[in-house]
Amino acid sequence: MRNSILIIDDEKNICTSLTYALEDLYRVVTTTNPQEGLTLLKENKFDVILLDLRIGRVSGLEVLKQIKEIHPQIVVIMMTAYGSIDSTIEAIKSGAFTYLTKPLNISELMITIEKALEFIGLNEKVEHLSNALKMKYVYNGILGKSPSMKNIFDLIDKLKDVDTNVLITGESGTGKELVARAIHYGGKRSNEKFVEINCAAIPEGLLEGELFGHKKGSFTGADRDSIGKFEFADKGTILLDEIGDMGLILQAKLLRVLEQKEVTPLGSNIPIKLKARVLASTNRDLKKLMEEGLFRKDLYFRLNVIEIKLPPLREKKEDLPLLFNHFMEVYNKEFGKQVIKLSTATQELLLNYSYPGNIRELSNIMEYGILMAKGDTLELEDLPEKVKAGKTYMNLEYEVDSLVGLPLDEIEKRMIKATLELNKGHRKDTAKMLGISERGLRNKLKEYEL
C-alpha cells in the first residue's frame, strides 16, 4: 500500500505541480482550503503533510497547531517563500519535521519525504520496543528493573490482597503515592475508592474534621453535616500522606481509630465502623521524630506493620534509561514533538546527575528538554541551566571541606538557603526536599532571617 501525502497550499498551480511530481510514488490529496485540510485529516489516514507557511490570510503556524491537536505524531513539512528564520524556528518548535523554501527543488523534496517516512518507521519501531520494555518492567504503573524495585514489586504483590497496615517511606518525589495506588488497584479493593489526604497541606485545626467528619453545629462554622475521609473511603483504601506532619493530639485520636476500627465524627456519639484499609506515607524520619517527642511510638508501630522504603533515584541508576524513554513518550505526545533519542553528552550528564527531587525532578527536566528540543535528538543545550551546571544541594562533595568546622546551625542555614534557591523560592517544594513541614520551614526562615 502506497504512503499518502496531504498538500495544503492556497496556490492551485503549486498543488497541481506537486501532485504531478509525486503521484507515481504516493497517494496525493490536495486542498487550497486549510479548514478542508483539517477535515480531510480527521477523516483519512495520511503519512506526511506538506503545509504552506502562509495560506492566503491564514497562518500556516496556526494550522500546524491544529494539525498537531488532531494527530500529534504526524510528520509535517513546512513550505515557505518567505524564508523567515523566526517563523521556521517557531514551526520546528510547534512540531514541524522540517521546512523547505519555495520555489521547491523537487529532488530535495523527494529526499525530504523519504527521510520523513524513515523517521516514521523508526518512531514506530521505538514505540514498539518501548511498549515491549514496559510490559517487562512495569508493575501497576511503576517503572523499574533495578534489584531494589523488583523487591518492592514482590512486596506489593504480597500485600495487595491483605489488610495489613503499610508505611511507605522515602524522599520527596520517589513515587510513594504510586506504590499506594499499586497496592490498592492491584488487589481485592481495586473496584472501591482510593482516597488520599495530605496531612501537611491541611491546617491542624481542620484536619480532624477532614479525617473523621463532623456534625452540624459541632463547632463555629459547621453549618451542615460533613462526611470524613475515613467514612467516604468506605471499603476502599485511604492514604495518609505526610503522616509525619500530623500533630500529637490528632495522632492520639488516629491511634484510637486504628485500634478500635471505628470512627466517631466530631459532635456525634455514634461510632461508624472503619471499613477502609489504611496506608500511610512520609518523607520524614519517624524514628528521629519519636526521639524528639514529635511522633507517638504506639502509632508508629500500629502504622508500620510492614514498611516499604523507596530508594532515591540516585541509588537506582539502572532505572534511568527506562524513565528517559517513558518521559520522552509522555511529553512527545503532549507537545506534538518527535524527540526519540538523547545525544551522548545529554545521556552522560543525565545518568550522572544526582536528582535531589527524584523522579518528580526528572519528569520536570524531561518536560523542559522536550519542549526546547529542535529536532529528533535531546541535546545538552536543551536542558535546564541547573542541570547543565550539575550543582544540586544533594551533590555537596565539591564543598564539603568548606563546611568542616562550622557550627551546625550555620550549616543548616546554608543548606536551607541553597535549597530555597534551587526551588526558586517555592517554600512548599523546599520543605518537602528538606524533609520538614512548611510550618517548620517558616520558623527556620524567621530564625535565620532568610
Side-chain angles (χ1 to χ4, degrees), residues 43 111 128 166 221 284 366 417 445:
E43 297 175 350
I111 292 171
H128 174 74
V166 178
R284 304 188 69 183
M366 295 301 291
K417 183 178 179 182
L445 293 175

Side-chain angles (χ1 to χ4, degrees), residues 205-206 208-210 212-227 265-268:
L206 300 178
E208 183 176 358
E210 284 288 321
F212 309 139
H214 64 257
K215 290 294 182 181
K216 180 180 178 181
S218 58
F219 55 86
T220 304
D223 54 358
R224 61 173 182 258
D225 290 354
S226 176
I227 296 176
L266 292 171
S268 172

Side-chain angles (χ1 to χ4, degrees), residues 353-390:
Y353 185 67
S354 59
Y355 300 101
N358 292 294
I359 298 172
R360 187 182 296 120
E361 183 181 12
L362 173 57
S363 173
N364 292 342
I365 290 168
M366 295 301 291
E367 180 179 6
Y368 181 97
I370 298 298
L371 184 60
M372 293 295 111
K374 301 173 185 65
D376 66 352
T377 303
L378 187 61
E379 302 287 356
L380 207 58
E381 64 189 38
D382 302 322
L383 299 178
E385 288 300 324
K386 67 172 185 178
V387 179
K388 287 185 283 188

Side-chain angles (χ1 to χ4, degrees), residues 9-52:
D9 194 306
D10 63 330
E11 296 183 54
K12 286 185 178 181
N13 61 327
I14 294 287
C15 292
T16 302
S17 60
L18 288 178
T19 300
Y20 180 77
L22 300 173
E23 62 184 357
D24 287 342
L25 295 174
Y26 308 106
R27 183 175 71 87
V28 182
V29 178
T30 68
T31 179
T32 58
N33 186 321
Q35 288 305 315
E36 183 183 8
L38 295 172
T39 301
L40 286 167
L41 180 60
K42 291 176 183 177
E43 297 175 350
N44 302 274
K45 180 185 180 300
F46 294 99
D47 298 294
V48 177
I49 296 178
L50 300 180
L51 175 65
D52 195 11

Side-chain angles (χ1 to χ4, degrees), residues 168-188:
I168 307 165
T169 61
E171 293 178 8
S172 178
T174 49
K176 297 184 289 295
E177 182 190 342
L178 285 178
V179 169
R181 289 182 179 274
I183 292 172
H184 173 77
Y185 289 108
K188 62 185 180 181

